[in-house]
Amino acid sequence: MDAAVERAAGYIRECFGDPLTVSGIAESARLSRFHFSRVFKEETGLSPGEFLTAVRIHEAKRLIDRSSMSIAEVSAAVGYSSLGSFTDAFTAGVGLSPGRFRRLCRDMGQAPPGPDPGPGPERGAVAGTVRLPEGHGNARVYLGAFATAVVQYPAVAAAVVDVPSDRPSCYCLQNVPEGEWHLLAVAVAAGTGRDPRAAPAPLLGNHGPATVTVTANTVTSAAVRLRPARPADPPVLLALPPLRPPATVVPHPGCAAAAAGAAPAGRLRAVPAAPVRSGP
């Protein structure tokens, strides 16, 4: 990860409530505005302005969940001068309005948004394995196919998979529309090491820097590796189901068997392996 991008991401996360500008963020990274904007997007998958919006909405999620602040107070605290603009941005990224998200957090019968594949009959599938970093306990993983490099509404397809600490687990995303998609994952693992008192550990993952190509009636193979989050990772915006690490994991059927049943024709098209990038 570029050191200048890490400085800028840290500056955004620290000062998100202020009226920031791209020029000011570039100055914090000690780069020209043009060069900074290009490098920042190459490293994170987002423009500086998009990253700032994501950080603000992520912080708003935290405040709505953990504080008694009104929605208007949350809007102002995360840097919005207009409640309407905040509500639109929050709903677009999270998939729920601020009020509905608070009801979800309070367990008041509100469900998180499901996948939205959109119109069009042509569908394929993505299948493969999910692997945890060494030293982590069992994990519950949310995987989704997204239009951008951010876990934000909507996922066009998604699945929740339990992964044991000592081996990879299989997953399969079905009914994925044809096209190029970012394969992203969010997980919570049962701590690190052998300490049973260790706090649950949040993890992020993807298939690498490239998107995954999905073709109708085929199964695209793609492996996902999880890792600890970093400051320059785009925040997770989508309202997710609870990801409580399981005490035990029931083995899944072989990946080949899962893939064979995912597409009508049962054809498996391999995606070339790609190195894991520094962002999700």
Side-chain angles (χ1 to χ4, degrees):
M1 172 63 69
D2 187 280
V5 172
E6 288 191 339
R7 286 196 300 271
Y11 178 71
I12 291 172
R13 290 183 181 276
E14 181 178 352
C15 304
F16 62 85
D18 299 337
L20 300 181
T21 64
V22 175
S23 295
I25 299 171
E27 185 176 345
S28 75
R30 299 191 286 274
L31 294 174
S32 70
R33 174 174 174 169
F34 175 79
H35 180 61
F36 164 70
S37 296
R38 180 179 60 80
V39 172
F40 192 93
K41 186 158 189 175
E42 287 177 353
E43 291 285 340
T44 67
L46 300 176
S47 70
E50 291 169 336
F51 192 92
L52 172 60
T53 296
V55 168
R56 284 173 167 168
I57 298 304
H58 186 264
E59 179 64 15
K61 287 175 61 183
R62 188 188 69 80
L63 292 174
I64 290 172
D65 179 18
R66 303 179 185 178
S67 80
S68 59
M69 296 170 64
S70 70
I71 300 303
E73 289 171 333
V74 171
S75 171
V78 299
Y80 282 85
S81 57
S82 165
L83 178 58
S85 297
F86 165 71
T87 299
D88 289 345
F90 188 97
T91 304
V94 178
L96 300 172
S97 68
R100 291 176 65 191
F101 181 73
R102 175 159 275 171
R103 290 194 291 275
L104 174 67
C105 296
R106 302 292 189 269
D107 195 20
M108 298 172 62
Q110 180 70 58
D116 182 7
E122 300 300 325
R123 299 280 190 269
V126 182
T129 58
V130 188
R131 182 183 296 274
L132 302 179
E134 288 187 13
H136 287 73
N138 297 341
R140 182 154 291 165
V141 184
Y142 177 94
L143 297 105
F146 295 87
T148 69
V150 185
V151 179
Q152 64 182 359
Y153 184 79
V156 297
V160 175
V161 179
D162 289 339
V163 182
S165 60
D166 58 347
R167 63 188 185 277
S169 186
C170 298
Y171 76 90
C172 183
L173 300 182
Q174 302 192 39
N175 297 316
V176 184
E178 279 194 312
E180 301 285 332
W181 304 105
H182 293 267
L183 182 60
L184 309 175
V186 181
V188 177
T192 57
R194 299 182 180 275
D195 185 355
R197 298 167 297 176
L203 302 170
L204 298 176
N206 60 14
H207 174 61
T211 55
V212 172
T213 302
V214 175
T215 305
N217 299 320
T218 65
V219 181
T220 298
S221 175
V224 174
R225 293 184 179 180
L226 292 158
R227 58 166 176 76
R230 300 166 183 162
D233 289 330
V236 174
L237 303 187
L238 180 65
L240 300 174
L243 298 177
R244 299 183 182 93
T248 59
V249 177
V250 177
H252 288 263
C255 295
R267 298 194 301 272
L268 180 66
R269 185 174 59 81
V271 172
V276 176
R277 60 170 289 170
S278 54

